[in-house]
Amino acid sequence: MLQEGANFRFIKDVMIVNLKGELDHHIADRIKEDIDYAMSKKNIKKILFNFKNVTFMDSSGIGMLLGRYKSIKSIGGALGVCNVNERIKKVFDISGLFSIIPCYTDENEAVEKL
């Protein structure tokens, strides 16, 4: 079972990043490296971050998301988030992330619309 951080799986052509725990600088750096590695090895054009099990996110998490957003957009891809709880929604609102990253209710909706 995933203690903290992220695991990856695929539904259709979407890489799902299941996040868990606190998305701080320790975890965000590791997730960034893992996603960048996966993007370099596979032809990934769509990434969905599932926030269902995230309890905290700081500026490092925002930076990690923005970096992956820029990377995926530069190759004509798309990025989205789903299952964002109220605490994390506040971080997204304050940082302006919702103005560039679409938020979906759940994975099914996201996979359909990404």
Side-chain angles (χ1 to χ4, degrees), residues 32-63:
K32 174 186 125 15
E33 290 170 7
D34 291 347
I35 291 171
D36 289 351
Y37 178 80
M39 286 179 67
S40 73
K41 295 295 177 196
K42 300 179 186 289
N43 188 24
I44 296 168
K45 297 268 186 165
K46 297 177 184 177
I47 300 175
L48 174 66
F49 287 91
N50 187 335
F51 277 81
K52 184 177 183 181
N53 296 308
V54 175
T55 57
F56 171 82
M57 182 170 86
D58 66 10
S59 60
S60 300
I62 294 168

Side-chain angles (χ1 to χ4, degrees), residues 78-103:
L79 183 144
V81 297
C82 70
N83 294 318
V84 178
N85 66 38
E86 289 303 316
R87 176 182 280 168
I88 305 303
K89 273 184 187 172
K90 288 179 184 172
V91 175
F92 271 72
D93 284 335
I94 291 168
S95 66
L97 284 175
F98 281 141
S99 66
I100 59 169
I101 298 175
C103 183

